[in-house]
């Protein structure tokens, strides 16, 4: 009888130990899953895509929310779809915007890098406009031939400025405008249907990108 009771007692203790072991493993797995999700978010936030692969069983809810809110947007993807005619009209307006503001800068007597930049804007955008005009005429597209209303207002406001304050405002506006223009031309190259309009965009884009780089450099120097 004593032997039988002792055997049953040992068996019970072994079963209890197994349960405790399994419970510990389950708890460890849950903790690991939580840590894995946190590690994924940390890696993704720091830009480490090689370490940001979500392990199996980890909680993806926080990581998905983080990705959707912090992932950089493609500027081209945010642009509304446009026709080739609309591209040509926007490109013409953009050119006149830069020419108009740059002529104002020259009339204000800007010096140094700002003057060099303004001279280049007038020359380059006048040339690009002359190349765009026959393409538009061939496609029966009527170009605006003038600044848009927004930039006329910007020009009016900038006339009240002078000296270094004007130069800083001018170069900052050039950065803003050219970043948008780069996206406009890239969109036409990617999505345009008209071969002539796309060829114009492809030829002119490197010049616009050069303008953008110069404007960013000059704007930073005036901070």
């Amino acid at each position: 009888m004593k032997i039988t009771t002792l055997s049953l007692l040992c068996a019970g203790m072994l079963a209890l130990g197994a349960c405790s072991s399994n419970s510990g493993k389950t708890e460890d797995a849950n903790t690991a899953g939580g840590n894995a999700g946190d590690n994924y978010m940390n890696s993704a936030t720091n830009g480490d895509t090689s370490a940001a692969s979500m392990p199996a069983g980890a909680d993806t809810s926080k990581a998905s929310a983080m990705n959707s809110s912090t992932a950089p947007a493609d500027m081209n993807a945010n642009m509304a779809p446009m026709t080739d005619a609309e591209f040509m009209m926007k490109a013409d307006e953009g050119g006149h915007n830069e020419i108009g503001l740059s002529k104002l800068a020259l009339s204000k007597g800007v010096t140094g890098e700002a003057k060099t930049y303004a001279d280049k804007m007038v020359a380059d955008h006048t040339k690009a406009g002359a190349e765009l005009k026959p393409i538009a005429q061939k496609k029966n597209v009527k170009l605006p031939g003038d600044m848009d209303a927004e930039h006329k207002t910007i020009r009016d406001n900038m006339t009240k400025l002078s000296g270094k304050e004007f130069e800083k405002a001018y170069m900052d506006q050039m950065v803003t405008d050219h970043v948008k223009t780069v996206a406009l031309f890239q969109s036409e190259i990617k999505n345009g249907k008209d071969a002539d309009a796309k060829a114009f965009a492809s030829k002119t884009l490197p010049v616009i990108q050069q303008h953008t780089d110069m404007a960013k450099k000059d704007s930073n120097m005036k901070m």
Side-chain angles (χ1 to χ4, degrees), residues 111-129:
T111 59
E113 296 295 334
K115 183 181 186 307
T116 300
Y117 189 87
D119 283 332
K120 184 173 181 59
M121 290 305 98
V122 174
D124 287 355
H125 283 288
T126 298
K127 179 182 177 181

Side-chain angles (χ1 to χ4, degrees), residues 34-221:
N35 289 340
D38 291 339
N39 290 339
Y40 169 81
M41 291 180 65
N42 292 336
S43 298
T45 301
N46 294 329
D48 185 0
T49 55
S50 63
S53 298
M54 177 60 75
D59 183 2
T60 61
S61 58
K62 291 189 292 182
S64 298
M66 181 275 294
N67 286 340
S68 63
S69 63
T70 62
D74 183 351
M75 184 173 287
N76 291 336
N78 292 334
M79 293 189 67
M82 61 182 173
T83 64
D84 297 298
E86 289 171 333
F87 160 73
M88 287 185 274
M89 290 187 287
K90 286 181 179 292
D92 181 69
E93 266 186 343
H96 283 286
N97 291 340
E98 312 316 336
I99 291 171
L101 294 182
S102 296
K103 284 184 175 180
L104 174 62
L106 294 172
S107 72
K108 286 278 189 178
V110 293
T111 59
E113 296 295 334
K115 183 181 186 307
T116 300
Y117 189 87
D119 283 332
K120 184 173 181 59
M121 290 305 98
V122 174
D124 287 355
H125 283 288
T126 298
K127 179 182 177 181
E131 293 176 351
L132 177 61
K133 189 174 181 178
I135 298 175
Q137 289 176 336
K138 180 180 176 182
K139 314 297 177 180
N140 295 317
V141 175
K142 182 175 176 58
L143 299 177
D146 197 2
M147 303 172 73
D148 60 33
E150 177 188 1
H151 282 78
K152 287 180 180 178
T153 299
I154 291 172
R155 180 184 60 187
D156 291 344
N157 291 334
M158 288 177 64
T159 58
K160 304 170 186 176
L161 305 177
S162 60
K164 295 301 180 183
E165 185 181 16
F166 174 87
E167 289 186 9
K168 182 67 168 67
Y170 168 65
M171 295 310 306
D172 285 349
Q173 188 63 45
M174 291 298 100
V175 172
T176 298
D177 288 351
H178 281 87
V179 167
K180 293 179 180 178
T181 302
V182 166
L184 174 71
F185 276 65
Q186 288 176 334
S187 178
E188 174 64 18
I189 292 170
K190 181 179 179 181
N191 304 312
K193 306 299 181 184
D194 184 86
D196 292 332
K198 292 183 69 170
F200 168 77
S202 296
K203 178 182 178 181
T204 310
L205 178 59
V207 179
I208 304 299
Q209 289 174 321
Q210 181 190 36
H211 293 172
T212 307
D213 293 339
M214 290 176 63
K216 288 180 178 179
K217 178 181 177 182
D218 293 348
S219 180
N220 290 335
M221 289 175 63

